[in-house]
Amino acid sequence: AKLGAVYTEGGFVEGVNKKLSLLGGDSVDIFKGIPFATAKTLENPQRHPGWQGTLKATNFKKRCLQATITQDNTYGQEDCLYLNIWVPQGRKQVSHNLPVMVWIYGGAFLMGSGQGANFLKNYLYDGEEIATRGNVIVVTFNYRVGPLGFLSTGDANLPGNFGLRDQHMAIAWVKRNIAAFGGDPDNITIFGESAGAASVSLQTLSPYNKGLIRRAISQSGMALSPWAIQKNPLFWAKTIAKKVGCPTEDTGKMAACLKITDPRALTLAYKLPVKKQEYPVVHYLAFIPVIDGDFIPDDPINLYNNTADIDYIAGINNMDGHLFATIDVPAVDKTKQTVTEEDFYRLVSGHTVAKGLKGAQATFDIYTESWAQDPSQENMKKTVVAFETDVLFLIPTEIALAQHKAHAKSAKTYSYLFSHPSRMPIYPKWMGADHADDLQYVFGKPFATPLGYRPQDRAVSKAMIAYWTNFARSGDPNMGNSPVPTHWYPYTLENGNYLDITKTITSASMKEHLREKFLKFWAVTFEVLPTVTGDQDTLTPPEDDSEVAPDPPSDDSQVVPVPPTDDSVEAQMPATIGF
Amino acid sequence: KEVCYDNLGCFSDAEPWAGTAIRPLKLLPWSPEKINTRFLLYTNENPTAFQTLQLSDPSTIEASNFQVARKTRFIIHGFIDKGEENWVVDMCKNMFQVEEVNCICVDWKRGSQTTYTQAANNVRVVGAQVAQMIDILVRNFNYSASKVHLIGHSLGAHVAGEAGSRTPGLGRITGLDPVEANFEGTPEEVRLDPSDADFVDVIHTDAAPLIPFLGFGTNQMVGHFDFFPNGGQYMPGCKKNALSQIVDIDGIWSGTRDFVACNHLRSYKYYLESILNPDGFAAYPCASYRDFESNKCFPCPDQGCPQMGHYADKFANNTSVEPQKFFLNTGEAKNFARWRYRVSLTFSGRTVTGQVKVSLFGSNGNTRQCDIFRGIIKPGATHSNEFDAKLDVGTIEKVKFLWNNHVVNPSFPKVGAAKITVQKGEERTEHNFCSEETVREDILLTLLPCKTSDTM
């Protein structure tokens, strides 16, 4: 059975039906590049006006305009608000009332696309494996990133959060239209990783999504993460304005000028420093969501009333912080380089600015306690990674889980720790799961591209897809379409249950009190220390004048040869890259 | 048949726009939405990041860095080109080095990257849109059309002509090698012509006939001042073999494009360089290039020579009822500017057959050795010639003389220059250099300024 042309609010759309095997009747309907909204530069998205005739949704659209990985050019396009849908189909009748999973990609709110990185024409965020194994509908989509997605003056002239509003438009579109594709509009699960995970969290907290979201999954990211909310957006807006020749004294004039400025120039006017920066790199993530008093009406910690009826899974990778650690303390990955106490103290100071010297000292002391017994470089380097993992991912996630549980009415709360070690050959032997290592398993790469994967990897992937899709179906990861290797018990405030996801998942994989000593330190001990800077708003990374924005390059490549119609060339990058 | 577009008026496919020998195909221009013309503003405040001005929303002009106190120059690309090409933006950047200006690139690439005949018809709509933009500036911002300068290359020149014919009081138009096909020989309303602005200057660089020489530009005089560098048909440096031309320039596309249309593209390259070389493109009024090369048009007339390119309008008051033709020579490659000198030489010493070279040394540097004379060198005889130097040497301090004939001369004859008179093209003043010495061949003779007594 297949859908053929589907009628949506914008008009008819037709995808492609892909048979899954030669003999069986199972297939998957795939729609690529359905428009869900339109947006002008630095403005909120609007409903798409629709189209005439039947739209052929057969190719992924270009990603949203963003800097390339080297940050010296742009790729993608400004007209980018499109989504993709995978619908599993049986032999006899078209699917009906299926659960819907909507993916929000990560990339530090700076990069990324709905289809993700391309490897031999297999896209990282291809929804086919999840859809067909879990018998759910999968939706992925683009949202604006970088300055074009999150530039804000901190007032009504440029409120920011354009990328978040794009995400909301996609979710709302799914709510209105997914029934026509065989989905259940009252059973929508949003899930995402890194900045996508923080976005998932923020979308559940925003009053705009009331009644739209039934369940949510955050993989390695949270609204409470220190890299999820920008507290001094005006500083960064002025930085961009100076670079592109816009006035900076009056935010009204600044905003009007920025809106008519070349979007590519806006994109290239900001560069994330990845070498020799004075502070941990997290402080330079300039264009991220803001508290705008509307879409995000208050500090996220005060918005958990809005999640009372949204079932939630949240977890991290056990070495999520490694990606940041390699930038902040490069010696971490170098066998022949050593991490020193001074290195670590400087890192700690950079993350505890609000509490000044006392904060830094207390934090340094608790994290270096084990150094007396084990002064090896391996232990010191692991400490650096553990510290970054705690500060940026683990502690915010644990606090959020507690908040979600505390405010829950009908909602269930689940927690996990992904610890299947990274398979990057260049990493140290003690390496666990780095940031973004979970993506390939959630999206079924050990099945879609089996070469290079081992049976244990397929076991991890199978388990994750089973838990995720069961949860999407029923709100309970143990009940649904797929068998699971062990029962996953809900999170409780008393013992903090979590499932340890790795190659062998047994009843012993259910664990408690994850990093309890450090959680107590951050949640209680550190919090009661006196704040020395008034508030963190006054912390402003220094402006680096040596980074002169390059001229927007001439786009001669578009003349000859004609660029491919998808991102298959531009998007070439290692699958594990991602924030 | 005709089509009408809001704010732009109606466009028909009747004569002279179509159905004529020059424009046989009956085509109507595309709609503004289809052409999707963009007005990209660069200013001294935002030299690299354009701001998009919208005809439909004058508040975008208000939000931009547009300054009413400044001149405004529109740069309009031609067939196939697009507004973000390097040369268009480079024009703006060069201007920012010499003036404060509103520089607007008119990007009509969608309307130009189609069949030639359709693009030639789309010119009318784009021209009307440029006129509309100027009209908005005049009405909404009290801006004077006399401060507007349109610079168009190829088809873009006729866009400027169309805009000019719709804009009363337009200050200036520069046509960079206006395209020939579909326009040469048409009535003035179809093409660029002197009535389109107070001052219209044109640079011709590819004026050889389209058939059989593939010259894209027009030979027709269509401005108040028509400049014909190197004669206007074949530009030096454009005859390299295909491979070296392609490899010379970064990227296959740029190289191929430059090879195929090298002469045609030179027009904007000369203009680009003229911005930073206020006196490097002096052009001589002359009846023909043959006369110019025969040294019949030197020096500049009393009122001076106009500079081809950016500074041509300094002579705008010298326009006459009759269109004027100007000639000059340029270099083969980047740094095209040249300064023309005349050298007049009186021989001394023995009578020999040979060739004579002269180089000039001045406060700003020196020229290479330039051929002045070939033939019988006879003492007391005087010969003149002109050459184009790569630089303005400034105040001339000395002249060096060299002769040779590549014949074995057992008697080792000596030849000298009793007097060399040097005159720079733009000046009336002649500078005299004297020497009483003679030299054997291939030996340099230095002449210093003549003593007063020697000139009596």
Side-chain angles (χ1 to χ4, degrees):
Chain A
K2 63 181 181 180
L3 282 167
V6 179
Y7 188 69
T8 70
E9 66 187 26
F12 280 99
V13 62
E14 185 171 23
V16 171
N17 182 262
K18 177 182 176 185
K19 299 233 180 295
L20 295 178
S21 66
L22 293 176
L23 297 177
D26 291 347
S27 64
V28 57
D29 276 312
I30 306 173
F31 301 80
K32 298 172 177 172
I34 301 175
F36 65 88
T38 66
K40 293 179 179 174
T41 309
L42 299 177
E43 294 198 8
N44 290 345
Q46 305 296 324
R47 281 233 195 169
H48 195 274
W51 54 87
Q52 301 294 322
T54 300
L55 182 73
K56 300 288 187 182
T58 54
N59 293 107
F60 288 125
K61 290 292 186 172
K62 286 192 177 181
R63 55 181 62 212
C64 290
L65 188 61
Q66 59 196 255
T68 56
I69 202 76
T70 51
Q71 304 191 96
D72 59 3
N73 204 336
T74 62
Y75 65 149
Q77 65 185 21
E78 226 194 342
D79 169 25
C80 62
L81 300 181
Y82 296 85
L83 52 77
N84 317 297
I85 307 179
W86 287 261
V87 185
Q89 303 287 7
R91 178 202 302 265
K92 292 193 171 172
Q93 58 188 24
V94 294
S95 298
H96 178 67
N97 239 33
L98 291 183
V100 185
M101 297 182 73
V102 182
W103 173 254
I104 306 181
Y105 57 82
F109 298 104
L110 199 54
M111 59 186 95
S113 72
Q115 59 266 35
N118 176 37
F119 184 70
L120 300 177
K121 270 285 181 178
N122 188 279
Y123 290 93
L124 179 57
Y125 304 138
D126 189 295
E128 180 177 322
E129 293 297 331
I130 299 176
T132 57
R133 289 175 183 277
N135 199 34
V136 297
I137 289 176
V138 177
V139 179
T140 69
F141 65 91
N142 289 337
Y143 63 92
R144 287 173 287 169
V145 292
L148 298 179
F150 294 97
L151 178 52
S152 168
T153 50
D155 58 19
N157 289 313
L158 262 185
N161 288 343
F162 308 112
L164 287 188
R165 291 179 186 267
D166 295 344
Q167 295 168 6
H168 162 72
M169 293 292 278
I171 297 166
W173 187 97
V174 169
K175 178 76 174 181
R176 294 191 302 268
N177 292 278
I178 202 65
F181 293 84
D184 178 357
D186 295 319
N187 196 8
I188 295 173
T189 299
I190 61 175
F191 68 129
E193 182 263 350
S194 190
S199 299
V200 163
S201 179
L202 289 164
Q203 295 293 340
T204 63
L205 298 173
S206 174
Y208 274 69
N209 289 310
K210 187 174 175 62
L212 268 55
I213 302 166
R214 184 75 179 283
R215 315 184 214 287
I217 304 173
S218 286
Q219 301 165 215
S220 305
M222 197 52 66
L224 305 181
S225 300
W227 45 266
I229 296 286
Q230 173 60 254
K231 295 184 177 175
N232 188 7
L234 182 57
F235 169 81
W236 294 102
K238 286 183 176 178
T239 302
I240 297 284
K242 283 173 198 159
K243 288 269 176 70
V244 299
C246 288
T248 55
E249 314 78 38
D250 178 288
T251 58
K253 289 179 179 166
M254 187 196 307
C257 181
L258 291 168
K259 289 183 181 185
I260 61 168
T261 295
D262 179 12
R264 293 176 69 235
L266 296 176
T267 302
L268 290 169
Y270 164 76
K271 284 179 171 22
L272 179 67
V274 291
K275 284 183 200 170
K276 296 174 182 170
Q277 73 275 11
E278 207 171 316
Y279 290 93
V281 69
V282 69
H283 292 299
Y284 298 90
L285 292 173
F287 298 104
I288 58 182
V290 295
I291 298 168
D292 61 2
D294 180 32
F295 196 85
I296 306 294
D298 195 356
D299 196 303
I301 195 75
N302 299 325
L303 297 173
Y304 275 90
N305 286 328
N306 294 338
T307 67
D309 298 308
I310 301 177
D311 299 321
Y312 203 36
I313 291 180
I316 66 161
N317 297 354
N318 69 344
M319 291 202 185
D320 256 331
H322 176 265
L323 182 64
F324 289 76
T326 57
I327 296 171
D328 296 339
V329 186
V332 152
D333 261 359
K334 311 260 195 315
T335 312
K336 295 177 179 175
Q337 284 183 37
T338 59
V339 170
T340 67
E341 283 191 21
E342 289 71 28
D343 292 333
F344 187 58
Y345 186 82
R346 186 170 56 250
L347 177 69
V348 167
S349 298
H351 281 292
T352 57
V353 177
K355 303 292 187 178
L357 208 59
K358 283 186 177 172
Q361 196 61 55
T363 307
F364 181 84
D365 288 348
I366 193 170
Y367 275 89
T368 57
E369 273 177 14
S370 70
W371 290 12
Q373 287 149 269
D374 182 2
S376 69
Q377 270 296 303
E378 177 177 319
N379 187 43
M380 292 174 77
K381 290 176 175 178
K382 280 169 142 181
T383 300
V384 171
V385 172
F387 173 75
E388 296 253 37
T389 301
D390 287 350
V391 170
L392 301 175
F393 298 98
L394 190 147
I395 304 302
T397 298
E398 292 297 306
I399 293 173
L401 285 161
Q403 288 291 328
H404 181 267
K405 182 63 182 175
H407 289 86
K409 288 179 181 164
S410 68
K412 301 274 203 358
T413 313
Y414 293 89
S415 172
Y416 74 87
L417 179 75
F418 181 83
S419 54
H420 192 48
S422 173
R423 309 192 56 222
M424 288 284 278
I426 60 173
Y427 280 176
K429 66 185 196 308
W430 47 264
M431 187 65 202
D434 197 1
H435 200 58
D437 272 338
D438 52 317
L439 293 170
Q440 57 200 305
Y441 302 103
V442 171
F443 282 90
K445 295 312 172 207
F447 299 108
T449 53
L451 217 59
Y453 285 99
R454 306 159 295 182
Q456 60 184 277
D457 302 315
R458 281 185 278 281
V460 171
S461 185
K462 183 179 179 186
M464 292 186 88
I465 292 176
Y467 283 126
W468 265 229
T469 56
N470 285 346
F471 175 76
R473 176 164 267 104
S474 67
D476 182 340
N478 309 291
M479 290 177 49
N481 211 57
S482 309
V484 297
T486 195
H487 195 87
W488 187 348
Y489 292 97
Y491 173 92
T492 68
L493 293 168
E494 293 74 33
N495 56 27
N497 282 340
Y498 68 95
L499 178 69
D500 187 10
I501 299 176
T502 183
K503 65 183 178 181
T504 305
I505 302 177
T506 66
S507 55
S509 300
M510 282 305 309
K511 297 178 177 175
E512 303 176 348
H513 303 304
L514 179 56
R515 291 184 71 73
E516 186 176 26
K517 179 173 92 170
F518 297 96
L519 178 53
K520 279 181 175 158
F521 170 80
W522 286 106
V524 180
T525 310
F526 185 80
E527 275 307 308
V528 300
L529 291 174
T531 300
V532 301
T533 57
D535 54 42
Q536 272 189 310
D537 288 358
T538 56
L539 169 63
T540 301
E543 189 176 353
D544 188 344
D545 287 307
S546 70
E547 285 191 323
V548 179
D551 301 340
S554 168
D555 205 354
D556 283 318
S557 67
Q558 281 190 15
V559 181
V560 170
V562 175
T565 55
D566 61 26
D567 276 358
S568 63
V569 173
E570 294 96 324
Q572 288 280 0
M573 64 177 71
T576 53
I577 285 189
F579 281 65
Chain B
K1 222 173 20 163
E2 70 175 8
V3 287
C4 302
Y5 301 120
D6 288 348
N7 299 313
L8 302 183
C10 299
F11 303 86
S12 92
D13 63 357
E15 291 187 16
W17 305 101
T20 68
I22 298 167
R23 298 172 70 104
L25 295 184
K26 287 202 168 240
L27 280 180
L28 290 165
W30 287 350
S31 71
E33 291 74 33
K34 188 166 183 183
I35 297 172
N36 193 39
T37 308
R38 294 193 298 162
F39 295 87
L40 313 176
L41 171 70
Y42 296 87
T43 71
N44 301 69
E45 286 73 31
N46 59 302
T48 62
F50 65 71
Q51 297 167 349
T52 306
L53 310 182
Q54 287 175 38
L55 293 171
S56 58
D57 184 4
S59 75
T60 55
I61 301 170
E62 198 156 2
S64 76
N65 290 339
F66 183 92
Q67 308 274 338
V68 296
R70 297 175 179 172
K71 264 193 147 172
T72 301
R73 303 186 196 270
F74 289 76
I75 305 179
I76 311 167
H77 65 79
F79 184 50
I80 300 297
D81 275 350
K82 57 185 196 260
E84 290 174 70
E85 288 263 325
N86 279 336
W87 76 265
V88 174
V89 181
D90 287 348
M91 287 277 213
C92 296
K93 288 182 187 171
N94 278 10
M95 288 172 191
F96 298 145
Q97 295 189 56
V98 301
E99 63 190 357
E100 293 198 333
V101 67
N102 306 306
C103 195
I104 299 178
C105 299
V106 181
D107 172 9
W108 63 291
K109 62 174 175 277
R110 262 209 245 144
S112 71
Q113 292 177 1
T114 176
T115 62
Y116 178 79
T117 311
Q118 182 64 60
N121 276 280
N122 292 342
V123 156
R124 300 164 66 191
V125 163
V126 180
Q129 288 182 295
V130 173
Q132 189 191 352
M133 174 62 77
I134 299 168
D135 185 61
I136 289 171
L137 295 176
V138 169
R139 292 171 185 273
N140 296 40
F141 296 87
N142 234 351
Y143 196 76
S144 171
S146 66
K147 288 161 65 174
V148 175
H149 178 194
L150 309 183
I151 303 166
H153 172 251
S154 187
L155 275 177
H158 297 296
V159 170
E162 176 71 25
S165 67
R166 291 169 173 257
T167 305
L170 178 67
R172 180 180 173 190
I173 292 176
T174 299
L176 303 176
D177 211 33
V179 74
E180 169 188 351
N182 280 13
F183 291 93
E184 185 169 299
T186 59
E188 289 187 343
E189 70 210 80
V190 176
R191 58 168 172 82
L192 178 62
D193 72 279
S195 67
D196 291 334
D198 293 341
F199 179 61
V200 177
D201 55 296
V202 181
I203 299 175
H204 301 261
T205 55
D206 198 16
L210 182 61
I211 300 167
F213 299 111
L214 263 187
F216 297 116
T218 184
N219 189 46
Q220 183 176 9
M221 292 177 63
V222 295
H224 294 105
F225 286 6
D226 284 77
F227 296 89
F228 293 86
N230 311 298
Q233 296 193 348
Y234 302 106
M235 299 302 109
C238 279
K239 289 177 181 173
K240 287 183 180 178
N241 70 77
L243 184 60
S244 70
Q245 187 71 252
I246 290 170
V247 171
D248 276 357
I249 297 162
D250 55 348
I252 294 293
W253 165 249
S254 288
T256 304
R257 177 170 162 276
D258 262 22
F259 174 71
V260 168
C262 182
N263 292 311
H264 195 39
L265 302 175
R266 275 298 178 84
S267 54
Y268 73 69
K269 294 182 180 185
Y270 294 155
Y271 190 98
L272 191 57
E273 281 200 18
S274 75
I275 299 167
L276 301 180
N277 283 284
D279 62 353
F281 291 91
Y284 298 77
C286 211
S288 71
Y289 187 57
R290 181 186 287 119
D291 281 3
F292 173 75
E293 285 277 276
S294 303
N295 305 331
K296 293 178 181 174
C297 305
F298 190 98
C300 298
D302 288 341
Q303 65 268 33
C305 285
Q307 294 286 326
M308 176 179 79
H310 197 58
Y311 301 99
D313 58 353
K314 288 184 178 178
F315 281 76
N317 293 330
N318 294 343
T319 60
S320 63
V321 179
E322 293 305 312
Q324 300 179 64
K325 255 184 193 179
F326 297 90
F327 295 88
L328 69 161
N329 286 334
T330 71
E332 289 193 358
K334 198 171 286 188
N335 296 318
F336 296 109
R338 291 293 182 270
W339 288 261
R340 197 162 177 89
Y341 290 91
R342 171 192 277 167
V343 172
S344 188
L345 186 153
T346 304
F347 293 119
S348 64
R350 293 268 305 276
T351 299
V352 295
T353 300
Q355 61 185 11
V356 175
K357 297 176 195 272
V358 165
S359 55
L360 310 181
F361 288 75
S363 53
N364 279 349
N366 62 280
T367 69
R368 60 177 174 79
Q369 291 178 351
C370 306
D371 286 327
I372 298 299
F373 176 79
R374 286 170 189 262
I376 299 173
I377 300 171
K378 189 182 300 179
T382 299
H383 296 278
S384 298
N385 208 344
E386 295 168 18
F387 66 91
D388 302 288
K390 284 190 176 181
L391 78 169
D392 177 359
V393 300
T395 303
I396 306 172
E397 293 163 348
K398 59 190 174 184
V399 177
K400 298 207 176 185
F401 167 92
L402 183 82
W403 75 275
N404 60 54
N405 62 9
H406 304 306
V407 172
V408 176
N409 293 295
S411 61
F412 299 106
K414 288 187 172 183
V415 175
K419 182 170 158 184
I420 294 180
T421 301
V422 181
Q423 183 179 12
K424 191 181 172 191
E426 294 108 299
E427 297 171 15
R428 285 286 169 181
T429 311
E430 294 183 341
H431 304 273
N432 296 303
F433 298 82
C434 295
S435 172
E436 293 172 1
E437 295 179 33
T438 56
V439 290
R440 296 195 336 216
E441 74 177 300
D442 288 324
I443 304 290
L444 281 173
L445 174 64
T446 301
L447 289 81
L448 299 172
C450 301
K451 296 184 172 72
T452 305
S453 57
D454 287 354
T455 61
M456 294 179 67

